[in-house]
Amino acid sequence: MNIHSDLKQRTTAEELTHIVKTLHDHYHPFLLDNQVWDLLKRTLPEMIYEDVISPYQEHMVGHKLINNIVMNLYFGEKKVKYHLSQKYLHRKDEVSIFELNLGSSRLDYARINGHSYAYEIKTELDSLDKLEKQISDYSKAFEYVQVVCHPYHYKKVKENVPSFCGIVTYNDCKTDFPFSFKQKRLRNPNIDAPFQLSTLTAKELDKILKEENLITCSLDRQSKQELISVSLSSAKINHHFKEKIKARFQKRWDFVCSHIDSIEPIDIQSFFKSNADPYWVYYKNSSIVYR
């Protein structure tokens, strides 16, 4: 399928950028198939739609078509997340996580096994304005912190992250999307136990209290956090943090691993969050099903 090559030949660079960005920004995997085709029709010039896109409608769902276009022509975060996650599928006793709120920051990608790993993604489309604050927040919760960035940002990232922060660049010009390790990640010295507890849910705090045989009667959330903080060591709290976050997302990650062959690349995070059946998401109300 060489749709992206055909689009390059039929549009100017400026037109192509506008088309691909519009598709990326307005597409969502939970659109019905006919809605995805309407999006394609609205976005592309009429002649290009009729000549290049329309013939695929007889045998392909629109989701697959947009995924092909975006994966080949738009160099955003979703593409990086897909290729990063492919490295960690089906690993024993390991969970990957797409997006996790930490303080005032939102972590792009995380892994937890016996250790915890945080990944901040910076594509060529991203600003580095928030990077220092993001690394500071992630360092309070995760043992190892890394920035995965486009080579364009490498020099500036290196200047703005601490020495323990790993730096990985990627090559989006190659089909296998190789990653290159530029700065080795080291154990982060800034783990903050109260901050870790603040990221857990009330139920997760209750589980810790129960497992550690601590009093739980009529305590508000703040009191529960304080009780755990004074009763357990930082190392013990870090252990509970990893176990509770891992358990929270285990089912979602298992679902992605077992359905990965049915999930289109830029949709992986949406299926991680929803655990919806890919077949019914893509083919519900699609005319292909009824042929």
Side-chain angles (χ1 to χ4, degrees):
M1 183 165 55
N2 293 315
I3 298 170
H4 53 283
S5 298
D6 293 335
L7 289 177
K8 280 184 175 180
Q9 294 174 5
R10 297 284 297 267
T11 59
T12 65
E14 185 177 350
E15 289 172 333
L16 186 61
T17 298
H18 173 74
I19 288 169
V20 176
K21 186 178 187 308
T22 301
L23 292 176
H24 173 274
D25 292 349
H26 291 85
Y27 167 79
H28 192 283
F30 294 102
L31 293 173
L32 297 178
D33 188 48
N34 66 306
Q35 294 175 316
V36 177
W37 285 102
D38 285 344
L39 172 60
L40 284 160
K41 192 170 186 177
R42 293 195 310 270
T43 304
L44 282 101
E46 183 177 356
M47 288 298 295
I48 295 178
Y49 177 83
E50 294 299 331
D51 294 346
V52 177
I53 303 299
S54 183
Y56 287 97
Q57 194 165 5
E58 292 295 316
H59 56 84
M60 184 184 297
V61 290
H63 303 75
K64 182 178 285 291
L65 198 66
I66 286 185
N67 265 266
N68 179 276
I69 294 170
V70 171
M71 282 294 286
N72 283 283
L73 298 173
Y74 191 80
F75 305 108
E77 181 182 289
K78 292 179 181 178
K79 183 173 182 176
V80 182
K81 284 183 178 178
Y82 171 76
H83 285 286
L84 187 61
S85 67
Q86 296 306 290
K87 294 167 58 64
Y88 303 114
L89 292 169
H90 309 297
R91 290 196 173 191
K92 186 177 181 181
D93 297 326
E94 179 169 304
V95 166
S96 284
I97 301 161
F98 292 92
E99 294 193 348
L100 180 66
N101 290 328
L102 294 171
S104 59
S105 301
R106 179 177 292 176
L107 177 61
D108 288 322
Y109 187 82
R111 293 166 46 230
I112 297 180
N113 42 44
H115 298 290
S116 57
Y117 305 86
Y119 298 81
E120 174 61 27
I121 296 170
K122 294 298 183 186
T123 73
E124 60 187 301
L125 306 175
D126 292 324
S127 163
L128 301 183
D129 292 347
K130 298 179 181 179
L131 183 60
E132 290 187 55
K133 177 64 167 64
Q134 290 168 325
I135 298 303
S136 175
D137 284 342
Y138 307 158
S139 301
K140 294 174 185 176
F142 282 77
E143 295 165 342
Y144 295 94
V145 180
Q146 295 179 92
V147 177
V148 181
C149 65
H150 188 276
Y152 171 79
H153 287 310
Y154 169 66
K155 185 177 180 181
K156 200 159 188 179
V157 167
K158 188 171 177 60
E159 292 171 354
N160 287 277
V161 300
S163 59
F164 64 76
C165 182
I167 304 176
V168 180
T169 60
Y170 58 86
N171 187 340
D172 53 14
C173 295
K174 294 186 176 181
T175 55
D176 60 345
F177 208 86
F179 293 93
S180 299
F181 295 86
K182 300 295 187 180
Q183 179 166 297
K184 184 179 179 180
R185 67 188 178 215
L186 301 174
R187 178 78 177 226
N188 155 41
N190 300 325
I191 294 288
D192 183 325
F195 183 88
Q196 288 181 311
L197 293 174
S198 73
T199 70
L200 299 180
T201 66
K203 287 185 178 180
E204 289 165 346
L205 293 175
D206 286 339
K207 285 183 179 180
I208 296 175
L209 291 166
K210 184 176 181 181
E211 290 168 8
E212 297 293 340
N213 296 313
L214 297 172
I215 299 171
T216 62
C217 299
S218 304
L219 293 179
D220 59 24
R221 181 190 171 93
Q222 186 61 37
S223 298
K224 289 177 182 178
Q225 289 182 209
E226 291 174 357
L227 176 58
I228 295 171
S229 292
V230 299
S231 302
L232 304 180
S233 67
S234 295
K236 190 69 173 179
I237 291 172
N238 182 43
H239 170 76
H240 277 296
F241 170 79
K242 290 184 288 186
E243 288 298 307
K244 300 303 177 283
I245 295 294
K246 186 169 180 279
R248 188 196 303 178
F249 294 103
Q250 183 75 61
K251 183 179 177 182
R252 297 188 195 184
W253 180 242
D254 288 346
F255 180 90
V256 168
C257 290
S258 61
H259 291 80
I260 192 62
D261 291 338
S262 303
I263 297 173
E264 295 297 328
I266 66 170
D267 301 340
I268 189 169
Q269 180 170 306
S270 294
F271 282 99
F272 173 82
K273 290 183 176 181
S274 70
N275 281 191
D277 185 329
Y279 178 82
W280 289 111
V281 170
Y282 293 139
Y283 290 94
K284 184 179 181 181
N285 293 342
S286 170
S287 58
I288 295 175
V289 175
Y290 304 106
R291 290 190 184 119

